[in-house]
Short mmCIF file of all heavy atoms in Angstrom, two decimals:
data_model
loop_
_atom_site.label_atom_id
_atom_site.label_comp_id
_atom_site.label_asym_id
_atom_site.label_seq_id
_atom_site.Cartn_x
_atom_site.Cartn_y
_atom_site.Cartn_z
N MET A 1 -83.61 326.80 59.05
CA MET A 1 -82.34 326.97 59.70
C MET A 1 -81.22 326.75 58.71
O MET A 1 -81.25 325.87 57.88
CB MET A 1 -82.24 325.93 60.82
CG MET A 1 -81.12 326.18 61.76
SD MET A 1 -81.52 325.35 63.31
CE MET A 1 -79.87 325.21 63.98
N GLU A 2 -80.23 327.61 58.70
CA GLU A 2 -79.11 327.53 57.79
C GLU A 2 -78.20 326.40 58.14
O GLU A 2 -77.97 326.07 59.30
CB GLU A 2 -78.30 328.85 57.80
CG GLU A 2 -79.12 330.03 57.30
CD GLU A 2 -78.31 331.30 57.34
OE1 GLU A 2 -77.15 331.29 57.66
OE2 GLU A 2 -78.93 332.35 57.02
N GLY A 3 -77.59 325.81 57.10
CA GLY A 3 -76.61 324.73 57.28
C GLY A 3 -75.91 324.47 55.98
O GLY A 3 -76.29 324.97 54.92
N ALA A 4 -74.81 323.70 56.09
CA ALA A 4 -74.01 323.38 54.88
C ALA A 4 -74.74 322.32 54.06
O ALA A 4 -75.16 321.28 54.59
CB ALA A 4 -72.64 322.89 55.32
N PRO A 5 -74.91 322.55 52.75
CA PRO A 5 -75.62 321.57 51.93
C PRO A 5 -74.72 320.36 51.60
O PRO A 5 -73.60 320.56 51.18
CB PRO A 5 -75.98 322.38 50.68
CG PRO A 5 -74.97 323.46 50.63
CD PRO A 5 -74.61 323.78 52.04
N GLU A 6 -75.29 319.21 51.75
CA GLU A 6 -74.53 318.00 51.45
C GLU A 6 -74.44 317.79 49.94
O GLU A 6 -73.54 317.03 49.51
CB GLU A 6 -75.24 316.77 52.09
CG GLU A 6 -75.14 316.85 53.62
CD GLU A 6 -75.89 315.66 54.24
OE1 GLU A 6 -76.21 314.68 53.55
OE2 GLU A 6 -76.02 315.69 55.47
N VAL A 7 -75.30 318.38 49.16
CA VAL A 7 -75.31 318.11 47.73
C VAL A 7 -74.26 318.91 46.95
O VAL A 7 -74.05 318.69 45.77
CB VAL A 7 -76.70 318.35 47.12
CG1 VAL A 7 -77.75 317.46 47.68
CG2 VAL A 7 -77.12 319.81 47.28
N ILE A 8 -73.60 319.84 47.60
CA ILE A 8 -72.53 320.66 46.95
C ILE A 8 -71.17 320.11 47.35
O ILE A 8 -70.86 320.03 48.53
CB ILE A 8 -72.62 322.13 47.40
CG1 ILE A 8 -74.02 322.73 47.14
CG2 ILE A 8 -71.53 322.94 46.72
CD1 ILE A 8 -74.38 322.89 45.69
N ASP A 9 -70.38 319.70 46.37
CA ASP A 9 -69.01 319.21 46.60
C ASP A 9 -68.09 320.39 46.73
O ASP A 9 -67.52 320.88 45.74
CB ASP A 9 -68.61 318.29 45.47
CG ASP A 9 -67.30 317.61 45.72
OD1 ASP A 9 -66.55 317.99 46.67
OD2 ASP A 9 -66.99 316.64 44.97
N THR A 10 -67.95 320.88 47.97
CA THR A 10 -67.16 322.10 48.18
C THR A 10 -65.69 321.86 47.96
O THR A 10 -64.98 322.80 47.55
CB THR A 10 -67.39 322.59 49.64
OG1 THR A 10 -67.07 321.57 50.57
CG2 THR A 10 -68.85 323.02 49.86
N VAL A 11 -65.19 320.66 48.20
CA VAL A 11 -63.81 320.35 47.97
C VAL A 11 -63.45 320.49 46.48
O VAL A 11 -62.50 321.15 46.08
CB VAL A 11 -63.40 318.98 48.50
CG1 VAL A 11 -62.00 318.59 48.08
CG2 VAL A 11 -63.55 318.92 50.01
N GLU A 12 -64.32 319.92 45.64
CA GLU A 12 -64.09 319.98 44.19
C GLU A 12 -64.28 321.41 43.67
O GLU A 12 -63.52 321.83 42.82
CB GLU A 12 -65.06 319.03 43.50
CG GLU A 12 -64.75 318.86 42.01
CD GLU A 12 -63.36 318.27 41.72
OE1 GLU A 12 -62.86 317.48 42.53
OE2 GLU A 12 -62.81 318.65 40.67
N LEU A 13 -65.24 322.12 44.22
CA LEU A 13 -65.48 323.50 43.79
C LEU A 13 -64.25 324.37 44.10
O LEU A 13 -63.81 325.14 43.22
CB LEU A 13 -66.74 324.09 44.40
CG LEU A 13 -67.06 325.53 44.07
CD1 LEU A 13 -67.10 325.81 42.58
CD2 LEU A 13 -68.37 325.92 44.75
N THR A 14 -63.72 324.25 45.30
CA THR A 14 -62.50 325.06 45.61
C THR A 14 -61.32 324.66 44.75
O THR A 14 -60.54 325.53 44.36
CB THR A 14 -62.14 324.96 47.08
OG1 THR A 14 -61.95 323.61 47.48
CG2 THR A 14 -63.19 325.59 47.97
N LYS A 15 -61.18 323.38 44.42
CA LYS A 15 -60.11 322.94 43.50
C LYS A 15 -60.29 323.60 42.16
O LYS A 15 -59.28 324.03 41.56
CB LYS A 15 -60.10 321.46 43.38
CG LYS A 15 -59.57 320.66 44.60
CD LYS A 15 -59.56 319.18 44.31
CE LYS A 15 -59.12 318.39 45.51
NZ LYS A 15 -59.21 316.92 45.27
N GLU A 16 -61.47 323.61 41.63
CA GLU A 16 -61.71 324.20 40.36
C GLU A 16 -61.44 325.69 40.32
O GLU A 16 -60.90 326.24 39.32
CB GLU A 16 -63.15 323.90 39.83
CG GLU A 16 -63.30 322.45 39.47
CD GLU A 16 -64.61 322.21 38.71
OE1 GLU A 16 -65.00 323.01 37.86
OE2 GLU A 16 -65.27 321.17 39.04
N ILE A 17 -61.84 326.36 41.38
CA ILE A 17 -61.53 327.84 41.42
C ILE A 17 -60.06 328.07 41.54
O ILE A 17 -59.50 328.93 40.86
CB ILE A 17 -62.32 328.47 42.60
CG1 ILE A 17 -63.86 328.40 42.37
CG2 ILE A 17 -61.86 329.95 42.77
CD1 ILE A 17 -64.68 328.86 43.54
N ASN A 18 -59.40 327.26 42.37
CA ASN A 18 -57.92 327.44 42.50
C ASN A 18 -57.18 327.14 41.21
O ASN A 18 -56.07 327.64 41.00
CB ASN A 18 -57.38 326.50 43.62
CG ASN A 18 -57.63 327.02 45.00
OD1 ASN A 18 -57.64 328.24 45.24
ND2 ASN A 18 -57.84 326.17 45.96
N ALA A 19 -57.78 326.36 40.35
CA ALA A 19 -57.10 325.97 39.08
C ALA A 19 -57.29 327.08 38.00
O ALA A 19 -56.62 326.99 36.93
CB ALA A 19 -57.64 324.67 38.58
N LEU A 20 -58.13 328.04 38.22
CA LEU A 20 -58.35 329.10 37.28
C LEU A 20 -57.03 329.83 36.93
O LEU A 20 -56.16 330.00 37.85
CB LEU A 20 -59.36 330.11 37.73
CG LEU A 20 -60.79 329.62 37.86
CD1 LEU A 20 -61.70 330.65 38.52
CD2 LEU A 20 -61.37 329.22 36.48
N GLN A 21 -56.86 330.29 35.71
CA GLN A 21 -55.70 331.00 35.26
C GLN A 21 -54.41 330.26 35.64
O GLN A 21 -53.45 330.79 36.18
CB GLN A 21 -55.66 332.44 35.80
CG GLN A 21 -56.76 333.27 35.15
CD GLN A 21 -56.54 334.76 35.32
OE1 GLN A 21 -55.61 335.22 35.96
NE2 GLN A 21 -57.40 335.50 34.71
N ASP A 22 -54.40 328.96 35.29
CA ASP A 22 -53.21 328.10 35.52
C ASP A 22 -52.73 328.09 36.96
O ASP A 22 -51.51 328.11 37.23
CB ASP A 22 -52.07 328.55 34.59
CG ASP A 22 -52.45 328.42 33.12
OD1 ASP A 22 -53.17 327.43 32.77
OD2 ASP A 22 -52.08 329.29 32.31
N GLY A 23 -53.65 328.08 37.92
CA GLY A 23 -53.32 327.99 39.30
C GLY A 23 -52.82 329.29 39.98
O GLY A 23 -52.23 329.22 41.03
N LYS A 24 -53.10 330.38 39.36
CA LYS A 24 -52.67 331.68 39.90
C LYS A 24 -53.74 332.24 40.86
O LYS A 24 -53.71 333.39 41.18
CB LYS A 24 -52.40 332.68 38.79
CG LYS A 24 -51.21 332.31 37.90
CD LYS A 24 -51.00 333.33 36.82
CE LYS A 24 -49.89 332.88 35.92
NZ LYS A 24 -49.72 333.80 34.78
N VAL A 25 -54.66 331.42 41.29
CA VAL A 25 -55.78 331.82 42.12
C VAL A 25 -55.73 331.07 43.45
O VAL A 25 -55.44 329.86 43.48
CB VAL A 25 -57.13 331.58 41.41
CG1 VAL A 25 -58.30 331.91 42.29
CG2 VAL A 25 -57.20 332.37 40.11
N LYS A 26 -56.02 331.73 44.55
CA LYS A 26 -56.08 331.15 45.86
C LYS A 26 -57.43 331.52 46.51
O LYS A 26 -57.72 332.75 46.58
CB LYS A 26 -54.95 331.58 46.78
CG LYS A 26 -53.54 331.28 46.24
CD LYS A 26 -53.23 329.83 46.44
CE LYS A 26 -51.77 329.63 46.10
NZ LYS A 26 -51.55 328.49 45.22
N VAL A 27 -58.16 330.53 46.95
CA VAL A 27 -59.43 330.75 47.62
C VAL A 27 -59.25 330.62 49.10
O VAL A 27 -58.57 329.71 49.60
CB VAL A 27 -60.50 329.73 47.14
CG1 VAL A 27 -61.81 329.92 47.90
CG2 VAL A 27 -60.71 329.82 45.65
N HIS A 28 -59.86 331.52 49.87
CA HIS A 28 -59.85 331.40 51.34
C HIS A 28 -61.16 331.98 51.91
O HIS A 28 -61.94 332.61 51.17
CB HIS A 28 -58.62 332.01 51.96
CG HIS A 28 -58.43 333.45 51.64
ND1 HIS A 28 -58.84 334.48 52.41
CD2 HIS A 28 -57.82 334.03 50.56
CE1 HIS A 28 -58.48 335.63 51.90
NE2 HIS A 28 -57.89 335.39 50.75
N ASP A 29 -61.43 331.75 53.15
CA ASP A 29 -62.69 332.21 53.78
C ASP A 29 -63.90 331.73 53.00
O ASP A 29 -64.81 332.48 52.71
CB ASP A 29 -62.73 333.73 54.02
CG ASP A 29 -61.70 334.20 54.99
OD1 ASP A 29 -61.43 333.41 55.96
OD2 ASP A 29 -61.18 335.29 54.82
N PHE A 30 -63.88 330.44 52.61
CA PHE A 30 -64.89 329.84 51.75
C PHE A 30 -66.00 329.26 52.60
O PHE A 30 -65.79 328.47 53.52
CB PHE A 30 -64.20 328.72 50.93
CG PHE A 30 -65.08 328.01 49.99
CD1 PHE A 30 -65.15 328.44 48.67
CD2 PHE A 30 -65.80 326.88 50.34
CE1 PHE A 30 -65.91 327.83 47.77
CE2 PHE A 30 -66.60 326.24 49.43
CZ PHE A 30 -66.68 326.69 48.15
N HIS A 31 -67.24 329.75 52.33
CA HIS A 31 -68.41 329.30 53.04
C HIS A 31 -69.57 329.04 52.11
O HIS A 31 -69.84 329.84 51.21
CB HIS A 31 -68.85 330.32 54.09
CG HIS A 31 -67.77 330.77 55.04
ND1 HIS A 31 -67.42 330.01 56.12
CD2 HIS A 31 -66.96 331.82 55.00
CE1 HIS A 31 -66.42 330.63 56.75
NE2 HIS A 31 -66.12 331.70 56.07
N VAL A 32 -70.21 327.86 52.23
CA VAL A 32 -71.39 327.59 51.47
C VAL A 32 -72.46 327.13 52.46
O VAL A 32 -72.20 326.40 53.40
CB VAL A 32 -71.16 326.43 50.46
CG1 VAL A 32 -72.38 326.04 49.73
CG2 VAL A 32 -70.08 326.80 49.45
N TRP A 33 -73.69 327.63 52.26
CA TRP A 33 -74.74 327.21 53.17
C TRP A 33 -76.08 327.18 52.43
O TRP A 33 -76.21 327.70 51.32
CB TRP A 33 -74.83 328.14 54.38
CG TRP A 33 -75.14 329.59 54.09
CD1 TRP A 33 -76.39 330.16 54.18
CD2 TRP A 33 -74.28 330.61 53.67
NE1 TRP A 33 -76.31 331.49 53.84
CE2 TRP A 33 -75.00 331.79 53.53
CE3 TRP A 33 -72.90 330.66 53.38
CZ2 TRP A 33 -74.44 332.98 53.11
CZ3 TRP A 33 -72.36 331.87 52.99
CH2 TRP A 33 -73.10 333.01 52.84
N SER A 34 -77.00 326.50 53.01
CA SER A 34 -78.36 326.38 52.49
C SER A 34 -79.28 327.34 53.25
O SER A 34 -79.43 327.23 54.46
CB SER A 34 -78.83 324.94 52.62
OG SER A 34 -80.11 324.77 52.16
N LEU A 35 -79.95 328.21 52.49
CA LEU A 35 -80.91 329.09 53.12
C LEU A 35 -82.23 328.45 53.28
O LEU A 35 -82.97 328.68 54.25
CB LEU A 35 -81.05 330.36 52.28
CG LEU A 35 -79.78 331.22 52.14
CD1 LEU A 35 -79.98 332.34 51.15
CD2 LEU A 35 -79.36 331.76 53.51
N SER A 36 -82.60 327.58 52.33
CA SER A 36 -83.82 326.79 52.36
C SER A 36 -83.57 325.61 51.44
O SER A 36 -82.54 325.55 50.73
CB SER A 36 -85.04 327.61 51.95
OG SER A 36 -84.92 328.00 50.60
N LYS A 37 -84.48 324.71 51.33
CA LYS A 37 -84.30 323.50 50.49
C LYS A 37 -84.11 323.95 49.02
O LYS A 37 -84.93 324.59 48.44
CB LYS A 37 -85.51 322.59 50.58
CG LYS A 37 -85.31 321.32 49.85
CD LYS A 37 -86.38 320.32 50.07
CE LYS A 37 -86.11 319.09 49.30
NZ LYS A 37 -86.97 317.99 49.65
N GLY A 38 -82.91 323.58 48.48
CA GLY A 38 -82.61 323.89 47.09
C GLY A 38 -82.10 325.29 46.84
O GLY A 38 -81.84 325.65 45.66
N LYS A 39 -81.97 326.11 47.85
CA LYS A 39 -81.46 327.51 47.69
C LYS A 39 -80.15 327.62 48.41
O LYS A 39 -80.11 327.57 49.63
CB LYS A 39 -82.45 328.51 48.23
CG LYS A 39 -83.73 328.55 47.52
CD LYS A 39 -83.58 329.22 46.16
CE LYS A 39 -84.94 329.34 45.51
NZ LYS A 39 -84.85 329.89 44.15
N TYR A 40 -79.03 327.77 47.66
CA TYR A 40 -77.71 327.80 48.29
C TYR A 40 -76.99 329.11 48.07
O TYR A 40 -77.20 329.81 47.04
CB TYR A 40 -76.86 326.66 47.65
CG TYR A 40 -77.53 325.34 47.68
CD1 TYR A 40 -77.84 324.70 46.52
CD2 TYR A 40 -77.90 324.74 48.90
CE1 TYR A 40 -78.50 323.45 46.54
CE2 TYR A 40 -78.58 323.55 48.93
CZ TYR A 40 -78.83 322.89 47.73
OH TYR A 40 -79.50 321.70 47.79
N SER A 41 -76.14 329.46 49.03
CA SER A 41 -75.39 330.70 48.95
C SER A 41 -73.94 330.37 49.22
O SER A 41 -73.59 329.41 49.87
CB SER A 41 -75.84 331.73 49.98
OG SER A 41 -77.12 332.21 49.67
N LEU A 42 -73.04 331.25 48.68
CA LEU A 42 -71.63 331.08 48.85
C LEU A 42 -71.00 332.45 49.09
O LEU A 42 -71.40 333.44 48.48
CB LEU A 42 -70.99 330.49 47.61
CG LEU A 42 -69.49 330.38 47.52
CD1 LEU A 42 -69.09 329.11 46.86
CD2 LEU A 42 -68.88 331.56 46.78
N SER A 43 -69.99 332.49 49.96
CA SER A 43 -69.13 333.64 50.08
C SER A 43 -67.73 333.17 50.20
O SER A 43 -67.44 332.11 50.78
CB SER A 43 -69.50 334.50 51.29
OG SER A 43 -69.23 333.84 52.47
N CYS A 44 -66.79 333.88 49.60
CA CYS A 44 -65.39 333.55 49.67
C CYS A 44 -64.54 334.74 49.24
O CYS A 44 -65.03 335.68 48.66
CB CYS A 44 -65.05 332.33 48.80
SG CYS A 44 -65.11 332.62 47.03
N HIS A 45 -63.25 334.68 49.60
CA HIS A 45 -62.30 335.63 49.17
C HIS A 45 -61.38 334.94 48.13
O HIS A 45 -61.06 333.75 48.33
CB HIS A 45 -61.42 336.15 50.34
CG HIS A 45 -62.15 336.91 51.35
ND1 HIS A 45 -61.56 337.46 52.44
CD2 HIS A 45 -63.51 337.23 51.46
CE1 HIS A 45 -62.48 338.07 53.18
NE2 HIS A 45 -63.61 337.97 52.59
N ILE A 46 -61.03 335.66 47.12
CA ILE A 46 -60.11 335.08 46.10
C ILE A 46 -58.93 336.06 45.93
O ILE A 46 -59.13 337.24 45.75
CB ILE A 46 -60.82 334.89 44.75
CG1 ILE A 46 -61.91 333.84 44.89
CG2 ILE A 46 -59.83 334.53 43.68
CD1 ILE A 46 -62.69 333.60 43.61
N GLN A 47 -57.75 335.49 45.97
CA GLN A 47 -56.55 336.25 45.66
C GLN A 47 -56.06 335.73 44.32
O GLN A 47 -55.97 334.54 44.09
CB GLN A 47 -55.49 335.98 46.77
CG GLN A 47 -54.18 336.63 46.50
CD GLN A 47 -53.19 336.29 47.61
OE1 GLN A 47 -53.50 335.64 48.57
NE2 GLN A 47 -51.96 336.68 47.39
N CYS A 48 -55.70 336.65 43.41
CA CYS A 48 -55.24 336.23 42.10
C CYS A 48 -54.06 337.07 41.66
O CYS A 48 -53.97 338.26 42.04
CB CYS A 48 -56.35 336.21 41.09
SG CYS A 48 -56.94 337.82 40.64
N ASN A 49 -53.24 336.49 40.84
CA ASN A 49 -52.06 337.20 40.25
C ASN A 49 -52.24 337.35 38.76
O ASN A 49 -51.28 337.36 38.03
CB ASN A 49 -50.79 336.42 40.57
CG ASN A 49 -50.47 336.40 42.04
OD1 ASN A 49 -50.73 337.38 42.72
ND2 ASN A 49 -49.96 335.27 42.52
N GLY A 50 -53.51 337.46 38.32
CA GLY A 50 -53.76 337.60 36.93
C GLY A 50 -54.85 338.61 36.71
O GLY A 50 -54.96 339.58 37.42
N ASN A 51 -55.69 338.35 35.73
CA ASN A 51 -56.78 339.23 35.33
C ASN A 51 -57.93 339.05 36.33
O ASN A 51 -58.68 338.11 36.24
CB ASN A 51 -57.24 338.90 33.92
CG ASN A 51 -58.31 339.82 33.46
OD1 ASN A 51 -59.10 340.37 34.19
ND2 ASN A 51 -58.40 339.96 32.14
N ALA A 52 -58.02 339.96 37.31
CA ALA A 52 -59.01 339.86 38.38
C ALA A 52 -60.44 339.83 37.87
O ALA A 52 -61.29 339.04 38.35
CB ALA A 52 -58.83 340.98 39.37
N MET A 53 -60.80 340.60 36.90
CA MET A 53 -62.14 340.62 36.35
C MET A 53 -62.50 339.30 35.70
O MET A 53 -63.60 338.81 35.82
CB MET A 53 -62.34 341.78 35.42
CG MET A 53 -62.35 343.13 36.09
SD MET A 53 -63.48 343.27 37.51
CE MET A 53 -65.05 343.16 36.67
N GLN A 54 -61.56 338.72 35.01
CA GLN A 54 -61.81 337.40 34.35
C GLN A 54 -61.91 336.33 35.41
O GLN A 54 -62.78 335.42 35.27
CB GLN A 54 -60.70 337.04 33.38
CG GLN A 54 -61.00 335.88 32.52
CD GLN A 54 -62.26 336.05 31.66
OE1 GLN A 54 -62.37 337.08 30.94
NE2 GLN A 54 -63.13 335.12 31.65
N VAL A 55 -61.13 336.38 36.47
CA VAL A 55 -61.27 335.38 37.51
C VAL A 55 -62.60 335.50 38.22
O VAL A 55 -63.24 334.49 38.51
CB VAL A 55 -60.09 335.55 38.57
CG1 VAL A 55 -60.36 334.77 39.83
CG2 VAL A 55 -58.77 335.19 37.92
N LEU A 56 -63.07 336.70 38.44
CA LEU A 56 -64.38 336.92 39.06
C LEU A 56 -65.49 336.34 38.16
O LEU A 56 -66.32 335.65 38.63
CB LEU A 56 -64.63 338.41 39.27
CG LEU A 56 -65.98 338.79 39.89
CD1 LEU A 56 -66.17 338.09 41.26
CD2 LEU A 56 -66.08 340.30 40.02
N LYS A 57 -65.39 336.63 36.88
CA LYS A 57 -66.39 336.09 35.92
C LYS A 57 -66.37 334.58 35.88
O LYS A 57 -67.41 333.92 35.97
CB LYS A 57 -66.11 336.68 34.51
CG LYS A 57 -67.07 336.23 33.45
CD LYS A 57 -66.72 336.82 32.10
CE LYS A 57 -67.65 336.24 31.03
NZ LYS A 57 -67.27 336.72 29.73
N ASP A 58 -65.16 333.98 35.77
CA ASP A 58 -65.05 332.51 35.67
C ASP A 58 -65.45 331.84 36.97
O ASP A 58 -66.12 330.80 36.95
CB ASP A 58 -63.62 332.13 35.32
CG ASP A 58 -63.22 332.60 33.92
OD1 ASP A 58 -64.11 332.92 33.11
OD2 ASP A 58 -62.01 332.61 33.63
N SER A 59 -65.08 332.42 38.12
CA SER A 59 -65.41 331.75 39.38
C SER A 59 -66.94 331.87 39.65
O SER A 59 -67.52 330.92 40.17
CB SER A 59 -64.61 332.33 40.53
OG SER A 59 -64.78 333.70 40.62
N THR A 60 -67.51 332.99 39.28
CA THR A 60 -68.94 333.14 39.44
C THR A 60 -69.70 332.14 38.57
O THR A 60 -70.68 331.49 39.00
CB THR A 60 -69.43 334.58 39.06
OG1 THR A 60 -68.76 335.50 39.93
CG2 THR A 60 -70.91 334.73 39.15
N GLN A 61 -69.23 331.89 37.35
CA GLN A 61 -69.87 330.87 36.48
C GLN A 61 -69.71 329.47 37.07
O GLN A 61 -70.66 328.74 37.07
CB GLN A 61 -69.24 330.93 35.09
CG GLN A 61 -69.91 329.98 34.10
CD GLN A 61 -71.37 330.28 33.93
OE1 GLN A 61 -71.76 331.42 33.61
NE2 GLN A 61 -72.24 329.32 34.13
N LEU A 62 -68.54 329.16 37.63
CA LEU A 62 -68.36 327.90 38.29
C LEU A 62 -69.32 327.67 39.44
O LEU A 62 -69.95 326.59 39.58
CB LEU A 62 -66.92 327.74 38.82
CG LEU A 62 -65.87 327.24 37.88
CD1 LEU A 62 -64.48 327.37 38.53
CD2 LEU A 62 -66.13 325.81 37.50
N VAL A 63 -69.43 328.69 40.24
CA VAL A 63 -70.38 328.63 41.40
C VAL A 63 -71.84 328.36 40.93
O VAL A 63 -72.49 327.49 41.45
CB VAL A 63 -70.29 329.94 42.21
CG1 VAL A 63 -71.44 330.03 43.22
CG2 VAL A 63 -68.93 330.01 42.93
N HIS A 64 -72.25 329.05 39.86
CA HIS A 64 -73.58 328.85 39.37
C HIS A 64 -73.71 327.45 38.73
O HIS A 64 -74.78 326.84 38.85
CB HIS A 64 -73.94 329.95 38.35
CG HIS A 64 -74.21 331.26 39.02
ND1 HIS A 64 -75.20 331.51 39.89
CD2 HIS A 64 -73.49 332.45 38.92
CE1 HIS A 64 -75.14 332.75 40.32
NE2 HIS A 64 -74.14 333.36 39.75
N ASP A 65 -72.66 326.96 38.09
CA ASP A 65 -72.67 325.61 37.54
C ASP A 65 -72.89 324.54 38.60
O ASP A 65 -73.42 323.46 38.32
CB ASP A 65 -71.36 325.31 36.77
CG ASP A 65 -71.25 326.12 35.48
OD1 ASP A 65 -72.25 326.74 35.05
OD2 ASP A 65 -70.17 326.16 34.95
N TYR A 66 -72.42 324.82 39.83
CA TYR A 66 -72.62 323.89 40.97
C TYR A 66 -74.03 324.01 41.59
O TYR A 66 -74.33 323.34 42.54
CB TYR A 66 -71.57 324.17 42.00
CG TYR A 66 -70.30 323.31 41.80
CD1 TYR A 66 -69.39 323.69 40.84
CD2 TYR A 66 -70.04 322.23 42.56
CE1 TYR A 66 -68.23 322.92 40.60
CE2 TYR A 66 -68.91 321.45 42.37
CZ TYR A 66 -67.99 321.83 41.39
OH TYR A 66 -66.85 321.07 41.16
N GLY A 67 -74.84 324.89 41.02
CA GLY A 67 -76.21 325.00 41.53
C GLY A 67 -76.37 325.97 42.65
O GLY A 67 -77.38 325.93 43.38
N ILE A 68 -75.40 326.87 42.85
CA ILE A 68 -75.48 327.85 43.95
C ILE A 68 -76.10 329.10 43.36
O ILE A 68 -75.63 329.65 42.37
CB ILE A 68 -74.07 328.08 44.51
CG1 ILE A 68 -73.56 326.80 45.15
CG2 ILE A 68 -74.11 329.23 45.54
CD1 ILE A 68 -72.13 326.85 45.55
N ASP A 69 -77.19 329.54 44.00
CA ASP A 69 -77.97 330.66 43.46
C ASP A 69 -77.33 332.00 43.68
O ASP A 69 -77.43 332.89 42.83
CB ASP A 69 -79.38 330.63 44.11
CG ASP A 69 -80.06 329.31 43.88
OD1 ASP A 69 -80.30 329.00 42.71
OD2 ASP A 69 -80.36 328.64 44.87
N HIS A 70 -76.78 332.21 44.86
CA HIS A 70 -76.26 333.54 45.24
C HIS A 70 -74.81 333.41 45.68
O HIS A 70 -74.50 332.53 46.46
CB HIS A 70 -77.10 334.11 46.36
CG HIS A 70 -76.59 335.43 46.89
ND1 HIS A 70 -76.70 336.60 46.17
CD2 HIS A 70 -75.87 335.73 47.99
CE1 HIS A 70 -76.16 337.53 46.89
NE2 HIS A 70 -75.61 337.04 47.96
N CYS A 71 -73.97 334.30 45.23
CA CYS A 71 -72.58 334.27 45.68
C CYS A 71 -72.09 335.68 45.88
O CYS A 71 -72.46 336.60 45.19
CB CYS A 71 -71.69 333.49 44.69
SG CYS A 71 -71.50 334.27 43.12
N THR A 72 -71.13 335.78 46.83
CA THR A 72 -70.38 337.01 47.07
C THR A 72 -68.93 336.61 47.03
O THR A 72 -68.46 335.86 47.87
CB THR A 72 -70.74 337.64 48.44
OG1 THR A 72 -72.14 337.92 48.47
CG2 THR A 72 -69.96 338.90 48.70
N ILE A 73 -68.24 337.11 46.02
CA ILE A 73 -66.81 336.77 45.85
C ILE A 73 -66.00 338.02 45.93
O ILE A 73 -66.30 339.01 45.28
CB ILE A 73 -66.57 336.05 44.47
CG1 ILE A 73 -67.39 334.76 44.43
CG2 ILE A 73 -65.11 335.79 44.28
CD1 ILE A 73 -67.40 334.09 43.11
#
């Protein structure tokens, strides 16, 4: 059964994404869930006023650094 994983600090992760490109990034519709034990997924929308491809690359790396296996940004 799907549910939000307690091991992922979603507040800190959204803060780190929002801080990309000197705070020119806004995250919304942010969802993290556990598909099975140890397998996590994330989906979110990101609005940015900078280099969109770099924000996508950096945010994807952050998500993976948090141990999330699959993301849709």
Side-chain angles (χ1 to χ4, degrees):
M1 193 158 159
E2 295 179 4
E6 295 179 9
V7 298
I8 305 291
D9 187 346
T10 57
V11 172
E12 190 60 32
L13 178 53
T14 55
K15 283 181 185 177
E16 287 191 43
I17 294 172
N18 282 327
L20 292 173
Q21 292 198 355
D22 299 322
K24 295 179 183 176
V25 175
K26 300 284 188 228
V27 176
H28 55 95
D29 293 327
F30 183 91
H31 306 280
V32 176
W33 64 97
S34 177
L35 296 173
S36 64
K37 186 173 181 168
K39 296 286 184 185
Y40 309 117
S41 291
L42 172 142
S43 68
C44 70
H45 294 181
I46 295 179
Q47 177 183 353
C48 69
N49 294 324
N51 183 333
M53 290 307 293
Q54 189 63 48
V55 169
L56 179 60
K57 180 181 175 183
D58 294 344
S59 58
T60 299
Q61 183 61 52
L62 274 172
V63 167
H64 289 296
D65 290 347
Y66 271 76
I68 298 171
D69 302 299
H70 174 76
C71 66
T72 301
I73 300 173

